Every structure is written in C-alpha cells, then in structure tokens.
Amino acid sequence: ARYQANMEVIALAFLLPLLIFSFGSRLLGKLAERLDYRRSAGLAMLLGALAVGAMLLTDGIAPFVALWTVFSASLSVVNYALDSLYMQAIPAAGRGFSLGKYTLGSALAGVVGPLLGGFLFDYAGHLVPFMVFALGGLLLGLAMLAALGKGKEG
C-alpha cells in the first residue's frame, strides 16, 4: 500500500533489474575489471548499501525502481569482482574443490540471509531488515576496501 501500485506495476518494477542482470552481465563484468576488481567490489558494495538505505526513504514506485536497479547492478558487480579475485588467488591444483567450498558458502549465505531477514521483518518491524542490510553493507563495503587494498590484479 505504501507505493500505491498494483501487481502489474510491481512486476514491471522488477523486470528492469532482471533484464540488466540477464543481458548486461558481460558489461558489468567488464566494468568491474576496468575499475580493478578490488576497488570495484568495495565501491559496488557501498553503492548497493546506499541504494537500499535510500529505498527506505522513497514513497513512489519510480524512485524505488531506479534504486532497486542500482542495487541489483551493484550486487552483480560485487559478485563478479569477488568471483574473479577468488579464482585468481587460488592455485590451479585443487581449484575445483576450492571453488566448491566457495560456492557452498555463497549458497548458505543465500539461505541464511533471507531467513534472518524474514525473522527481523516479522519480529522487529518491516523496515528493520533493510536497515540492517544497509548498515551491514556499508560496513562490509568499507571493510572490503580496506582488506582488499589497492593494486591491479595480475
């Protein structure tokens, strides 16, 4: 009720980020590579967190769509950059097993995150999961910039 939108408008709101993710993946990956994977991971995490925080302040569907699109693209850049950094950092011997562990960790986060968000939504308030994500994303983005450091990958 907050956005005064029917299901068709909501479906269209999520269509743009889906199309960008589906057809713009190559461009987003090239962007991450051009900016340097280390910096692009941290900066994209910060941008995504800011977009989620700004979504809390929107009342119209158009600003929400724009912010959701920025968030989705940012998260894609984070994923591409971290995947690339990980693949560059592990030796070729045992790469399959290492990649399996990395994928398992990502998949578990994809399960635990929504469960925790749903719990916060039900028991702490409907805006709380977004506030927690925005704050956590800002802290994670800053930590990524600090931990990954500067420099071009080889």
mmCIF file of all heavy atoms in Angstrom, residues 1 7 15 35 48 72 90 123 135 151:
data_model
loop_
_atom_site.group_PDB
_atom_site.id
_atom_site.type_symbol
_atom_site.label_atom_id
_atom_site.label_comp_id
_atom_site.label_asym_id
_atom_site.label_seq_id
_atom_site.Cartn_x
_atom_site.Cartn_y
_atom_site.Cartn_z
ATOM 1 N N ALA A 1 0.812 -1.198 0.000
ATOM 2 C CA ALA A 1 0.000 0.000 0.000
ATOM 3 C C ALA A 1 0.855 1.261 0.000
ATOM 4 O O ALA A 1 0.409 2.291 -0.433
ATOM 5 C CB ALA A 1 -0.914 -0.007 1.216
ATOM 6 N N MET A 7 -0.132 -5.257 -9.014
ATOM 7 C CA MET A 7 0.826 -6.319 -9.300
ATOM 8 C C MET A 7 1.539 -6.122 -10.638
ATOM 9 O O MET A 7 2.711 -6.470 -10.769
ATOM 10 C CB MET A 7 0.141 -7.690 -9.264
ATOM 11 C CG MET A 7 -0.196 -8.159 -7.860
ATOM 12 S SD MET A 7 1.230 -8.160 -6.738
ATOM 13 C CE MET A 7 2.187 -9.494 -7.413
ATOM 14 N N LEU A 15 11.291 -6.047 -13.470
ATOM 15 C CA LEU A 15 11.696 -6.503 -14.789
ATOM 16 C C LEU A 15 12.983 -5.814 -15.248
ATOM 17 O O LEU A 15 13.881 -6.459 -15.797
ATOM 18 C CB LEU A 15 10.579 -6.267 -15.802
ATOM 19 C CG LEU A 15 10.864 -6.721 -17.227
ATOM 20 C CD1 LEU A 15 11.091 -8.230 -17.266
ATOM 21 C CD2 LEU A 15 9.710 -6.343 -18.145
ATOM 22 N N LEU A 35 37.658 -1.173 -13.560
ATOM 23 C CA LEU A 35 37.858 -0.365 -12.354
ATOM 24 C C LEU A 35 38.844 -1.004 -11.384
ATOM 25 O O LEU A 35 39.199 -0.372 -10.398
ATOM 26 C CB LEU A 35 36.521 -0.163 -11.629
ATOM 27 C CG LEU A 35 35.482 0.674 -12.352
ATOM 28 C CD1 LEU A 35 34.182 0.707 -11.562
ATOM 29 C CD2 LEU A 35 35.996 2.093 -12.567
ATOM 30 N N GLY A 48 25.504 -0.274 -3.429
ATOM 31 C CA GLY A 48 24.315 -1.095 -3.207
ATOM 32 C C GLY A 48 23.686 -0.844 -1.840
ATOM 33 O O GLY A 48 22.467 -0.758 -1.710
ATOM 34 N N SER A 72 20.660 -3.872 -7.708
ATOM 35 C CA SER A 72 20.854 -5.133 -8.429
ATOM 36 C C SER A 72 22.138 -5.120 -9.250
ATOM 37 O O SER A 72 22.896 -6.100 -9.252
ATOM 38 C CB SER A 72 19.657 -5.412 -9.338
ATOM 39 O OG SER A 72 18.490 -5.564 -8.578
ATOM 40 N N ILE A 90 43.511 -18.590 -5.977
ATOM 41 C CA ILE A 90 43.708 -19.998 -5.633
ATOM 42 C C ILE A 90 44.546 -20.691 -6.702
ATOM 43 O O ILE A 90 44.434 -20.390 -7.883
ATOM 44 C CB ILE A 90 42.365 -20.728 -5.422
ATOM 45 C CG1 ILE A 90 41.474 -20.636 -6.657
ATOM 46 C CG2 ILE A 90 41.633 -20.191 -4.219
ATOM 47 C CD1 ILE A 90 40.183 -21.409 -6.547
ATOM 48 N N TYR A 123 9.414 -9.918 13.480
ATOM 49 C CA TYR A 123 9.513 -9.668 14.909
ATOM 50 C C TYR A 123 10.104 -8.325 15.297
ATOM 51 O O TYR A 123 9.972 -7.909 16.449
ATOM 52 C CB TYR A 123 10.305 -10.797 15.591
ATOM 53 C CG TYR A 123 9.589 -12.112 15.484
ATOM 54 C CD1 TYR A 123 9.967 -13.059 14.548
ATOM 55 C CD2 TYR A 123 8.491 -12.394 16.298
ATOM 56 C CE1 TYR A 123 9.291 -14.265 14.431
ATOM 57 C CE2 TYR A 123 7.804 -13.590 16.187
ATOM 58 C CZ TYR A 123 8.211 -14.522 15.254
ATOM 59 O OH TYR A 123 7.532 -15.704 15.136
ATOM 60 N N LEU A 135 23.125 -0.904 6.706
ATOM 61 C CA LEU A 135 24.237 -0.654 7.630
ATOM 62 C C LEU A 135 25.319 -1.715 7.458
ATOM 63 O O LEU A 135 26.506 -1.394 7.368
ATOM 64 C CB LEU A 135 23.738 -0.631 9.068
ATOM 65 C CG LEU A 135 24.807 -0.414 10.137
ATOM 66 C CD1 LEU A 135 25.502 0.928 9.928
ATOM 67 C CD2 LEU A 135 24.193 -0.496 11.523
ATOM 68 N N GLY A 151 45.606 -1.846 -5.966
ATOM 69 C CA GLY A 151 46.510 -2.511 -6.889
ATOM 70 C C GLY A 151 45.770 -3.288 -7.947
ATOM 71 O O GLY A 151 44.644 -3.705 -7.745
#
